[in-house]
């Protein structure tokens, strides 16, 4: 009930993002149900049905990734002072966020089921003159347990992923960590390992007077008070030309380059291999060995891993060779937000390179893309772009205090807009050639087939 109340009382922009999650879940659920319909209509082709189900893994992954990005930017589940007193600690807020994500994805899955039953003619008769009857197996009864199992994939996977991403963590350095703390009721507040006697802190400030006598030290205060009194890490700078020092560089760039090189090597080896199982690409694309798909997957993972490091490198390059206030501000912001926007940017780069490679391999004599292939491409592209925009919005909210401080110190608003445009141009100048280069290399294995 609390999750429903928080969902109902959210702002329109938050509701729009949740609605987009429901739409993405509906599209993915409909693809899964169409795979079930194909398997029912072609019982003698289990391999083809399994391949169609395997192609649904990409829309499923992008939908879950988008749901995680929306859950991270949900203001209703952000820790705020006073929530721990009513039992809404980090663990409880994480559970509420996972429940809200499950509700949005379940709504989309139910919409997909209703539309699927409508196309089969189970609700109001056969629509579109029975054009969808062949691949939906409308002449056979629908196995409800199998359909519900497929529809539960998106809500269960998304809620588990959100719970893992938003689980409570101790962000203090290892040198500052004291004894292990246990979580109270609903994970409301961490408690020190040593127990206090009943009423030890309630005798009208006796503990404060005891600390003042004889130069004795005051006892350790609760963890929540330490967090409230600690200075914010995002404190506004004292000079508009000197933003806060960025964090250390992400460590995934070498691994990303290594995985990307491995994926390209697998694709190059697949282009020379004469044997191996065939891979039937959707939408009239060229066929090739199964190892090509493994190479494409490794390439996409490598770009996603290398995205934060490349974004951090782009920010460092902006500040090189005697930067002014504009370049320094843009570069520092890129270095600070490298992890937040770098990984979604790497995923968009991977999807764009894959789409460019598929377009280059398209056979003009083959039939046009079918409705299911088009739906899958729209889902993958839309979810990745929406995830990037959501991450950019999250980054904007994270630096809202710094932006307000810069405006109070006299920084012109035009300079802030110019810094944003400079960041976007620098990222485009780095990732666009990289996307085209990877796409050309990814299309080479199947170009001569």
């Amino acid at each position: 009930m609390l999750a429903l109340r928080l969902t109902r009382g959210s702002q329109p922009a938050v509701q729009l993002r949740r609605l987009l999650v429901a739409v993405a879940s509906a599209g993915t659920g409909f693809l899964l149900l169409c795979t079930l319909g194909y398997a029912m209509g072609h019982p003698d082709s289990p391999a083809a049905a399994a391949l169609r189900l395997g192609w649904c893994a990409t829309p499923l992954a992008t939908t879950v990734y988008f749901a995680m990005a929306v859950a991270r930017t949900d203001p209703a589940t952000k820790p705020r002072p006073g929530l721990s007193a009513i039992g809404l600690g980090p663990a409880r807020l994480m559970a509420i966020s996972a429940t809200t994500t499950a509700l949005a994805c379940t709504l989309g899955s139910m919409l997909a089921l209703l539309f699927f039953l409508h196309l089969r003619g189970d609700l109001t008769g056969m629509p579109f003159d029975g054009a969808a009857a062949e691949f939906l197996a409308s002449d056979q009864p629908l196995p409800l347990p199998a359909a519900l199992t497929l529809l539960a994939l998106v809500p269960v996977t998304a809620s588990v992923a959100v719970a893992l991403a938003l689980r409570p963590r101790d962000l203090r350095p290892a040198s500052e960590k004291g004894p292990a703390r246990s979580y109270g009721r609903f994970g409301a507040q961490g408690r020190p390992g040593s127990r206090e006697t009943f009423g030890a802190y309630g005798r009208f400030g006796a503990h404060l007077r005891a600390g003042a006598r004889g130069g004795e030290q005051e006892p350790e205060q609760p963890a929540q008070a330490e967090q409230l009194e600690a200075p914010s890490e995002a404190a506004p700078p004292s000079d508009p030309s000197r933003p806060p020092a960025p964090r250390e560089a992400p460590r995934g760039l070498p691994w990303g380059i290594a995985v990307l090189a491995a994926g390209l090597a697998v694709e190059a080896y697949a282009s020379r291999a004469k044997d191996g199982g065939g891979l039937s690409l959707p939408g009239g694309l060229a066929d090739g060995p199964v190892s090509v798909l493994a190479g494409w997957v490794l390439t996409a993972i490598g770009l996603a891993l290398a995205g934060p490091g490349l974004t951090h490198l782009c920010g460092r390059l902006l500040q090189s060779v005697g930067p002014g206030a504009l370049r320094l501000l843009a570069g520092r912001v890129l270095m600070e937000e490298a992890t937040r926007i770098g990984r979604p940017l790497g995923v968009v780069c991977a999807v764009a390179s894959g789409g460019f490679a598929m377009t280059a391999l398209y056979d003009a004599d083959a039939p046009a893309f079918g409705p299911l292939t088009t739906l899958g491409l729209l889902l993958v592209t839309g979810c990745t772009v929406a995830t990037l925009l959501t991450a950019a919005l999250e980054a904007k909210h994270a630096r809202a205090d710094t932006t307000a401080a810069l405006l109070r110190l006299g920084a012109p608003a035009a300079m802030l807009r110019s810094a944003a445009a400079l960041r976007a141009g620098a990222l485009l100048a780095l990732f666009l050639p990289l996307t085209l280069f990877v796409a050309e290399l990814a299309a080479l294995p199947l170009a001569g087939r």
Side-chain angles (χ1 to χ4, degrees):
M1 294 300 297
L2 181 59
L4 288 175
R5 290 181 179 179
L6 291 176
T7 302
R8 185 182 58 183
S10 300
Q11 299 177 358
V14 179
Q15 299 286 14
L16 177 60
R17 292 196 293 268
R18 291 171 181 167
L19 181 61
L20 292 178
V21 172
V23 171
S25 176
T28 305
F30 182 75
L31 288 178
L32 293 171
L33 290 178
C34 290
T35 302
L36 176 62
Y38 180 85
M40 293 168 53
H42 302 79
D44 54 342
S45 304
L51 182 60
R52 286 173 175 261
L53 184 62
W55 282 115
C56 293
T58 303
L60 175 62
T62 53
T63 301
V64 171
Y65 192 47
F66 178 47
M68 292 173 57
V70 172
R72 285 195 301 265
T73 58
D74 193 347
T77 56
K78 295 293 183 182
R80 283 167 288 181
L83 291 181
S84 296
I86 60 174
L88 292 180
R92 187 71 180 274
L93 291 177
M94 177 267 294
I96 292 175
S97 182
T99 304
T100 304
T101 303
L103 289 175
C105 294
T106 302
L107 174 62
S109 298
M110 292 300 101
L111 292 177
L113 179 60
L114 291 177
F115 187 65
F116 182 77
L117 294 177
H118 175 67
L119 290 181
R120 280 174 51 90
D122 296 338
L123 298 179
T124 59
M126 185 65 65
F128 306 115
D129 297 331
E134 181 179 357
F135 67 93
L136 296 183
S138 59
D139 56 341
Q140 301 182 21
L142 180 66
L144 190 58
L148 294 181
T149 301
L150 290 176
L151 289 177
L153 285 178
V154 179
V156 172
T157 307
S159 58
V160 171
V162 168
L164 292 177
L166 301 182
R167 67 186 184 275
R169 298 183 180 91
D170 192 356
L171 301 179
R172 295 178 301 168
S175 58
E176 299 180 4
K177 292 182 180 179
R181 295 179 180 268
S182 58
Y183 285 95
R185 186 171 178 263
F186 301 116
Q189 176 178 312
R191 297 194 303 269
S194 59
R195 286 275 188 179
E196 295 291 344
T197 59
F198 180 77
Y201 279 84
R203 298 190 183 97
F204 301 97
H207 60 289
L208 297 177
R209 293 194 299 270
R213 292 196 305 265
E216 297 178 357
Q217 295 182 353
E218 296 182 5
E220 182 182 359
Q221 299 296 324
Q224 183 180 6
E226 295 177 0
Q227 294 177 359
L228 293 178
E229 295 175 1
S232 175
E233 294 182 358
S238 58
D239 190 348
S241 63
R242 294 181 181 180
R247 302 174 183 175
E248 61 179 2
R251 301 178 180 179
L253 182 58
W255 289 102
I257 295 177
V259 175
L260 176 61
L264 295 176
V266 169
E267 294 176 11
Y269 175 77
S271 63
R272 299 183 179 182
K274 301 300 182 181
D275 52 354
L279 174 65
S280 179
L281 299 181
L285 301 179
D287 296 340
V290 181
S291 54
V292 172
L293 178 60
W296 283 3
V297 171
L298 289 176
T299 301
I301 295 176
L303 287 174
L305 291 176
L310 292 176
T311 304
H312 191 276
L313 178 62
C314 187
R316 186 175 293 276
L317 291 177
L318 277 178
Q319 303 175 77
S320 60
V321 195
L326 181 62
R327 289 170 52 196
L328 182 62
L329 177 61
R332 284 291 180 89
V333 170
L334 276 183
M335 294 173 67
E336 180 69 19
E337 300 172 355
T339 303
R340 182 179 285 113
I341 66 174
R343 186 163 289 112
L345 190 58
V347 173
V348 170
C349 181
V351 172
S353 62
F356 183 83
M358 292 174 64
T359 304
L361 295 173
Y362 180 72
D363 190 0
D365 297 333
F369 287 166
L372 297 183
T373 303
T374 304
L375 177 60
L377 293 177
L378 289 178
L379 274 175
V380 173
T381 305
C383 286
T384 52
V385 173
T387 302
L388 178 60
L389 295 178
T390 304
L393 181 63
E394 181 185 7
K396 180 181 179 181
H397 290 166
R399 64 173 185 273
D401 294 339
T402 303
T403 303
L406 290 174
L407 293 176
R408 286 195 305 267
L409 291 175
M415 187 187 73
L416 299 181
R417 291 193 294 266
S418 301
L422 183 60
R423 293 195 302 268
L427 292 176
L428 188 63
L430 176 63
F431 280 91
L432 183 59
L434 177 64
T435 301
L436 297 178
F437 176 73
V438 174
E440 289 289 344
L441 293 181
L444 286 179
L446 298 180
R449 290 184 177 269

